Amino acid sequence: MEMHNYKETLARGLRVGAFMATLACAAAAGVAHAHGDVTPQAVDTSSLKQLGADWQTVNPYRGNKEAIRIGDSAFNQNCARCHGLGAVSGGIAPDLRLLDLEPETDEYFIGRVRNGVTRNGAVYMPPFEGTLSQEAMWAIRAWLETVREK
């Protein structure tokens, strides 16, 4: 009799545990789905030299204190949800503190931000051209250079 109660209690505990694990997975899936439905935030770049219609291939704001200030805010508003606060990735997207700083990598950076990243039909990063200005994208790059880790 006592062994029967033990088995019943154990089986009930396993069912409750499985149910709780299912709820946790469903909640996590909901958070992951909601993660992608965030509206990008506008970035005020009026205090920066305006770059015009032609896209730059080298960051014109490298070392510019005002651009770095704007880039910090713009990153937190538009990029941190995937790339993490302070560019410290939480695993969803690459850790941007590890980006190469050489000017020849600027064109690669701006291309990824402008056009996004898609692999096998899945969107890994949405395109930001038309959402963020060229000035905002380069300001973000200028800020990222200040948090670079070796």
Side-chain angles (χ1 to χ4, degrees):
M1 199 71 147
E2 205 171 304
M3 181 58 118
H4 177 64
N5 285 340
Y6 172 76
K7 286 182 181 178
E8 233 177 74
T9 302
L10 181 61
R12 187 175 320 125
L14 290 173
R15 283 193 304 271
V16 168
F19 176 72
M20 295 305 286
T22 301
L23 283 178
C25 287
V31 168
H33 176 71
H35 172 81
D37 295 333
V38 181
T39 304
Q41 300 299 305
V43 178
D44 179 7
T45 59
S46 61
S47 61
L48 297 174
K49 175 185 169 225
Q50 297 302 293
L51 302 175
D54 293 334
W55 282 87
Q56 308 293 304
T57 57
V58 176
N59 189 353
Y61 300 138
R62 184 166 277 117
N64 179 312
K65 290 184 187 298
E66 179 64 5
I68 291 167
R69 182 190 67 77
I70 291 169
D72 182 7
S73 175
F75 181 89
N76 285 323
Q77 293 174 35
N78 293 289
C79 311
R81 65 185 59 96
C82 295
H83 291 283
L85 292 173
V88 179
S89 178
I92 293 174
D95 189 322
L96 297 180
R97 296 171 304 156
L98 304 176
L99 286 175
D100 287 332
L101 298 180
E102 291 74 31
E104 54 271 9
T105 63
D106 287 349
E107 191 170 8
Y108 173 81
F109 171 84
I110 204 71
R112 301 288 267 200
V113 177
R114 285 178 69 189
N115 303 311
V117 179
T118 303
R119 282 186 223 122
N120 300 320
V123 175
Y124 284 78
M125 179 173 151
F128 281 91
E129 185 170 358
T131 302
L132 293 179
S133 67
Q134 174 176 201
E135 292 81 5
M137 292 180 199
W138 285 123
I140 290 168
R141 172 73 167 175
W143 174 75
L144 284 169
E145 291 173 355
T146 69
V147 296
R148 170 78 165 113
E149 286 193 358
K150 297 176 191 269

